[in-house]
Amino acid sequence: MTSEEISASGSTAASLRSGSIKVAVGLAFFGGATYAFQTVTARAVGTVSYADFAVFWGLVYGVGLGAFLPFEQEVSRRVSEQYARGGSGAAVLRTAYRAAAGVTLILALAMLVVVPLVSKGTLSHSASLWAASVAAFAGLGLAYVSRGGLSGTRRFSHYSRQLGVEGGVRLAAALVLPLAAVTSPWPYAAVVAIGLFVAVPLTARSTWRQPATGEAPIALSDLGRSLGAVIISSTIAQLLVNFGPVVVRLLSQPSEQALAGRFMAAALVARLPIFLFAAIQAVLIPRLVDAVVRGDHRGFVRSVRAVMVPTVALGLLGMLGCAALGPQILRLVLGPDFALPRLDITLLAASTGLFLVTLVLQPAAISLKRHRQAALTWVAAAVVFGLGCLLPLSPVRTVEIALIVATAAAVAGLSVLVLRGVAAHEAEMARARELPGA
């Protein structure tokens, strides 16, 4: 590596470290505001209505986040490539916003079928769940395309600010709605979309106005081909981590409808490490893409290893913390009505630790352009989860065991995929260097 390349690599690493810190600040506030918002919601509406809110949350952050998180990852990858060559990435963003609008419409139509199956309520109840979910889907589409652009162009201050504004709206709602004695779950659900619609225009307008000077237009079909496989991967992954309350409700008897709310409450405690990891994930893809573009395979492996070690430690710490103090924290934060046994909270934390590992391996696979293979891995994990849900246990325990075996299968598959991808890319670069004129 030349001295110029070493200097550029060091500059990039320093920039990305700084970006991690900036995003971490926004995420810390966003995570705290979200926990406060959900805690207040649970106490204000009670266990049965909070089960309805949990189903809404599972749909939005299972189906919706699964569909739109790939936009951030793929837009960040493509914009990073253009940014490294002196472009703005505006052509990618314009196509991505159009694609996100199309996905929102598809999800809105799909929810006409899904919502009546999971709501188990009146027509008015189903209509409220559908409207709140679709509004949140639209907000997520705007947010994750814009975050991909901000991440890819290293605008981590704007990225952090967007999280801060969204968290601020949730925090304000947590103060105002209980004071107004609101006990219906649907105004609280509406806050999720409102926060997104406020935050995105305030922080991402610069990405909308960037000229695409010297950049070829990106065909919708081209973006769709790469996004399709990533959406499959991400949707399954997010369904596994967020759809638990919905599955618990489907497995529960009519007398057990509050179980979904208790499961959601325990998940809030067990999945705190995911919030702590997200600051690293936001800057991981640009770092890995930069290493792939330079052909720096050792740097790629070092970056993955440098993130993997604290990720595994964070997962283990979360599991030990839940084993020691999970029930006490749950009672302290949400009250005795939301109690679950220590083993259940610990099992949820174990599945969270495994899921955190996939959050490192999945971006690594995307950076190596192993989109389709990653999708097949997640399809296999979904099959494992479905088989796990056939276990003759209680609804909560069944979902917990199914989550553990499914995320373990995803970790195994993605690990093999990344190792093979690095070896294949290294061999490809070696062949290219051997060509005449290389």
Side-chain angles (χ1 to χ4, degrees), residues 71-72 75-76 79 93 143-153 159:
F71 280 83
E72 177 179 352
V75 168
S76 179
V79 170
L93 285 165
Y144 280 95
V145 172
S146 70
R147 289 174 192 175
L150 295 173
S151 171
T153 54
Y159 191 113

Side-chain angles (χ1 to χ4, degrees), residues 137-304:
F137 292 155
L140 288 173
L142 288 173
Y144 280 95
V145 172
S146 70
R147 289 174 192 175
L150 295 173
S151 171
T153 54
R154 315 296 195 264
R155 298 180 185 181
F156 297 117
S157 294
H158 288 74
Y159 191 113
S160 178
R161 202 172 300 136
Q162 184 173 124
L163 293 167
V165 173
E166 185 183 354
V169 172
R170 293 183 178 187
L171 192 59
L175 297 173
V176 172
L177 291 178
L179 288 176
V182 175
T183 58
S184 167
W186 307 122
Y188 294 90
V191 169
V192 174
I194 293 169
L196 291 163
F197 286 126
V198 172
V200 175
L202 290 178
T203 57
R205 284 178 296 178
S206 59
T207 63
W208 303 342
R209 297 196 300 262
Q210 281 285 352
T213 306
E215 298 174 17
I218 305 297
L220 195 60
S221 58
D222 176 33
L223 184 64
R225 277 192 296 272
S226 58
L227 271 174
V230 188
I231 286 176
I232 292 172
S233 300
S234 181
T235 299
I236 294 174
Q238 294 302 325
L239 282 173
L240 288 179
V241 77
N242 289 305
F243 211 58
V246 180
V247 181
V248 169
R249 168 166 279 192
L250 290 174
L251 295 176
S252 300
Q253 299 299 319
S255 61
E256 301 175 314
Q257 291 306 297
L259 277 180
R262 294 193 182 101
F263 182 95
M264 176 75 167
L268 285 178
V269 175
R271 291 169 183 165
L272 178 60
I274 294 177
F275 279 101
L276 301 178
F277 176 80
I280 300 172
Q281 190 183 33
V283 299
L284 182 58
I285 287 182
R287 175 180 291 180
L288 297 179
V289 167
D290 184 71
V292 170
V293 169
R294 296 196 323 268
D296 181 10
H297 302 99
R298 290 183 180 178
F300 183 94
V301 172
R302 278 196 305 269
S303 293
V304 173

